Amino acid sequence: MIVRLPPSAPGLRVGLYGGSFNPAHAGHLHVSRLALRRLALDRVWWMVSPGNPLKDRRILAPLAERVAGAEAIARDPRIAVTAFETAIGARYTRESLEWLVRHRPDLRFVWIMGADSLASFHRWQGWRAIARMMPIAVIDRPGFTLRATAAPAGRALDRFRLDERHAARLVRAAPPAWVFLHGPRSDLSSTALRGAGPSIPGQGDPRPR
């Protein structure tokens, strides 16, 4: 089996940003650039998933279409788009991250997710294993600033939380370790864009607030 990952040199600090990207939008770009800056990352990989087990697959666009849309939005040389999860047959995030850690032990990974994902993280298959596998950066989202940390996973991981002022140290922290990044927020969502009709590559304003 040949699995193609984005080019990377040993020692690089890589943020992993997974999702269905159905479709990708400027909010994804905003989150990635925030993570690159605040976490002192070298790269961010957008992991376009085959499908989210917690979401309705009937509204999922074909993988090739979602990858192409993500590549059109990812207008930053530090951001790469990959669909390797399909190639390795991974269904859950835990499986994908285990594969990466096993095959690229020379890279320093950080898992990136929105505060809305932290609010439901306790429903993910193997979420505790993910927390033990690599550091996690949670990016604030409108409406989830308090709900995320009050959710079951947020409470369970509270004692491993780093002070936001030291976010750049996260990549070298031994997991479990995580940080909650606040700042300008995007209220864009793929769900809202699907409801608005066909999208044009590059459209969408992150509308930080």
Side-chain angles (χ1 to χ4, degrees):
M1 176 181 63
I2 299 176
V3 179
R4 292 182 174 84
L5 293 174
S8 54
L12 285 185
R13 302 178 297 269
V14 179
L16 303 173
Y17 189 20
S20 55
F21 293 91
N22 188 42
H25 53 72
H28 294 127
L29 184 62
H30 167 72
V31 165
S32 301
R33 286 175 168 166
L34 176 67
L36 282 160
R37 183 177 71 254
R38 297 285 302 280
L39 302 175
L41 299 176
D42 299 305
R43 300 285 188 274
V44 169
W45 293 357
W46 287 7
M47 294 165 43
V48 183
S49 70
N52 186 333
L54 298 178
K55 294 183 179 180
D56 187 351
R57 288 175 175 263
R58 292 174 297 179
I59 60 174
L60 196 62
L63 179 65
E65 180 180 321
R66 290 183 285 123
V67 168
E71 290 174 338
I73 292 291
R75 302 181 302 273
D76 192 306
R78 300 167 297 174
I79 301 173
V81 178
T82 175
F84 82 93
E85 291 177 286
T86 299
I88 66 173
R91 184 182 179 194
Y92 299 105
T93 297
R94 175 187 56 78
E95 297 170 333
S96 303
L97 301 189
E98 286 176 343
W99 189 94
L100 282 175
V101 169
R102 187 166 62 251
H103 286 81
R104 291 305 310 264
D106 56 326
L107 300 179
R108 292 184 175 272
F109 291 118
V110 173
W111 177 248
I112 300 168
M113 64 181 178
D116 53 331
S117 293
L118 178 60
S120 61
F121 195 34
H122 61 285
R123 298 176 57 202
W124 291 27
Q125 202 271 351
W127 68 272
R128 293 181 185 274
I130 294 173
R132 291 192 299 267
M133 201 180 310
M134 65 182 62
I136 297 173
V138 177
I139 312 297
D140 198 11
R141 288 290 308 275
F144 288 92
T145 304
L146 299 178
R147 289 169 57 189
T149 53
R155 295 198 306 270
L157 297 173
D158 183 65
R159 64 192 178 100
F160 303 110
R161 182 176 174 180
L162 273 63
D163 189 302
E164 187 175 0
R165 294 174 297 176
H166 307 309
R169 301 178 186 175
L170 180 69
V171 71
R172 293 186 177 275
W178 68 289
V179 68
F180 198 126
L181 297 181
H182 300 82
R185 299 176 298 182
S186 170
D187 55 10
L188 278 176
S189 75
S190 296
T191 302
L193 289 177
R194 287 196 302 273
S199 60
I200 301 172
Q203 80 172 27
D205 179 357
R207 287 180 285 177
R209 63 183 192 182

